[in-house]
Amino acid sequence: MKAHTKMTATLLLATPLLAGLSAIAWATAAMAETQSPKPQFNTGNDIGYDVNDPSYFANYAPELPAMLARMPEISADTGLHLSEIEPGLFFVTDGVYQSSFLVTDEGIVVFDAPPSYAHKLPDLIRKTAPDSQIRYLIYSHNHSDHIGGAGVFAKIEGLDIIANERTAESLGKSDRTDLPLPTITFSGDHQFEFGGVPIEIATASFHAEDVDTIIYLPDQKFVMAVDTITPGEVPFMNFGATSDVGAYMTFFDTILEYDFEHLLSGHVSVLGMREDVIINRDYAFDVRQTAGKMMTTFFDEFETAFANFEYKNANLGYRAAIESVRRQCAEEIIDRWQDKLSVVDVWADSHCETVILYNIMH
Ligand SMILES: [Zn+2]
């Protein structure tokens, strides 16, 4: 900018008529040199919409063909995909959220009620099983984006809502008055049989700030662990926005102990399989190891940056060190995983940063 101003001034000097203006240009340049720079607030690593921006959105890799091939068809009429994945067990998605319901001889069990489409569920369920009553609604965890549409079931007579007692406690304390509170709560494990179908709910910890559950239907080899992985893709930002990175990393061993073929993890349109858990585990462990080994240089990077900032801004020094390690980690991770999992270039930096912060604190 300074060089440009000087060049402009030189050109102006060549024209006597504009000599007065050149003096102003020189004065402006001199002022800029003596004043401290005006802060240019860094508001984040935004996706760019300008073709010259390195973060230009089209520079991000498209979803991998293997992922696109697995995406189920969404009905133009309902905006939903509905499929019977095992006899009586139905999978529902709007392409962003996922839930399911089970039709038995004694009635219907609904698992989660995402607000993005829960208002369509009663009708969808009625059309699928016209002679059956909804008897149970089970909450996977307390987050509104997965159960916030439960109000549509509230008026069903004789309906029981099942949730972990800590989920119920969190909901009781929240101001979400439109969300019906659980009528049956449990701690630890809760197993029951309904219409001849065993349903096993285990208390777990991998995502929510209070408690998570793993819902398992052994006969259907179906397991539901919401906000864990996204099949075909790397996990969502900060490892499924987990509130506990350590617990998230141990989740893989826990879930792989189950004998399952179908995994409902709550997001994107693709229903998961056992292999999806394994590849996501390998990815998560690779990020943990890659960022972990780079931590050895973290404090050197901080020292260098802090010295460069004349020991005046430790926060900026921290940020510089985090960014440097994050960039090196993300480069390695993207390089290794770009052909195996979709959207790694979108989230690798957040995964690396999550591990860096975890390592600083543990
Ligand atoms: Zn959640």
Side-chain angles (χ1 to χ4, degrees):
M1 183 60 88
K2 208 171 79 179
H4 175 76
T5 310
K6 279 182 178 166
M7 201 170 81
T8 309
T10 311
L11 285 171
L12 287 170
L13 275 172
T15 315
L17 195 65
L18 297 173
L21 283 176
S22 78
I24 296 168
W26 275 114
T28 311
M31 258 172 69
E33 272 167 34
T34 50
Q35 281 174 358
S36 57
K38 200 173 164 224
Q40 297 289 310
F41 292 114
N42 185 343
T43 51
N45 304 311
D46 300 359
I47 302 281
Y49 292 94
D50 180 342
V51 71
N52 298 314
D53 189 332
S55 293
Y56 183 50
F57 73 91
N59 292 342
Y60 286 84
E63 295 265 5
L64 295 176
M67 169 74 186
L68 294 171
R70 289 175 66 185
M71 284 184 179
E73 205 174 313
I74 307 275
S75 152
D77 282 350
T78 60
L80 295 174
H81 165 83
L82 171 74
S83 57
E84 190 171 14
I85 53 174
E86 290 289 337
L89 179 61
F90 293 84
F91 167 58
V92 186
T93 180
D94 61 353
V96 181
Y97 284 90
Q98 305 178 336
S99 65
S100 60
F101 61 91
L102 171 75
V103 181
T104 77
D105 294 342
E106 285 179 48
I108 294 162
V109 185
V110 177
F111 303 95
D112 275 355
S116 60
Y117 63 79
H119 57 286
K120 299 175 185 171
L121 278 176
D123 199 37
L124 190 78
I125 293 170
R126 205 174 305 119
K127 282 182 180 147
T128 309
D131 303 320
S132 202
Q133 286 291 312
I134 298 171
R135 294 283 308 280
Y136 291 105
L137 170 62
I138 301 180
Y139 291 163
S140 64
H141 66 303
N142 97 71
H143 289 166
S144 284
D145 63 325
H146 292 276
I147 62 169
V152 300
F153 299 105
K155 289 204 175 86
I156 296 174
E157 212 171 306
L159 176 86
D160 270 313
I161 299 176
I162 303 176
N164 187 287
E165 62 180 16
R166 287 165 64 195
T167 303
E169 209 177 291
S170 299
L171 293 174
K173 282 190 216 152
S174 83
D175 52 6
R176 290 172 281 175
T177 47
D178 56 326
L179 248 175
L181 291 174
T183 54
I184 297 173
T185 61
F186 63 90
S187 61
D189 296 342
H190 180 66
Q191 305 190 344
F192 66 108
E193 203 174 288
F194 182 63
V197 181
I199 297 171
E200 301 177 10
I201 313 173
T203 296
S205 170
F206 45 75
H207 160 73
E209 60 290 347
D210 51 359
V211 72
D212 300 288
T213 57
I214 294 174
I215 301 162
Y216 181 49
L217 307 182
D219 288 356
Q220 287 73 19
K221 297 204 175 200
F222 171 80
V223 72
M224 187 161 159
V226 172
D227 287 330
T228 50
I229 67 162
T230 39
E233 300 180 342
V234 298
F236 182 69
M237 191 174 189
N238 307 123
F239 289 113
T242 184
S243 58
D244 186 339
V245 184
Y248 182 88
M249 294 292 173
T250 58
F251 152 79
F252 295 101
D253 280 349
T254 310
I255 200 80
L256 287 168
E257 276 172 27
Y258 287 84
D259 179 16
F260 70 92
E261 284 172 12
H262 315 285
L263 168 81
L264 192 150
S265 56
H267 280 284
V268 304
S269 58
V270 175
L271 190 65
M273 300 177 291
R274 200 173 178 83
E275 297 79 65
D276 292 310
V277 177
I278 293 168
I279 194 167
N280 262 270
R281 175 197 61 189
D282 294 348
Y283 171 83
F285 287 10
D286 189 12
V287 174
R288 182 174 61 178
Q289 203 191 4
T290 303
K293 79 170 188 258
M294 288 176 178
M295 289 310 290
T296 50
T297 62
F298 180 84
F299 289 101
D300 292 341
E301 302 236 17
F302 167 71
E303 264 307 314
T304 308
F306 197 23
N308 278 335
F309 308 147
E310 293 166 351
Y311 301 100
K312 280 183 186 147
N313 195 336
N315 279 276
L316 198 58
Y318 244 80
R319 174 151 183 175
I322 289 171
E323 284 185 352
S324 172
V325 175
R326 184 181 68 190
R327 189 186 318 108
Q328 295 166 56
C329 168
E331 276 170 13
E332 267 197 36
I333 291 296
I334 292 168
D335 193 44
R336 273 201 290 280
W337 288 91
Q338 60 185 335
D339 298 330
K340 297 181 190 120
L341 287 169
S342 277
V343 301
V344 64
D345 57 344
V346 180
W347 297 128
D349 63 343
S350 94
H351 299 143
C352 290
E353 184 173 299
T354 301
V355 173
I356 294 165
L357 292 174
Y358 183 82
N359 276 303
I360 290 171
M361 294 182 286
H362 291 83

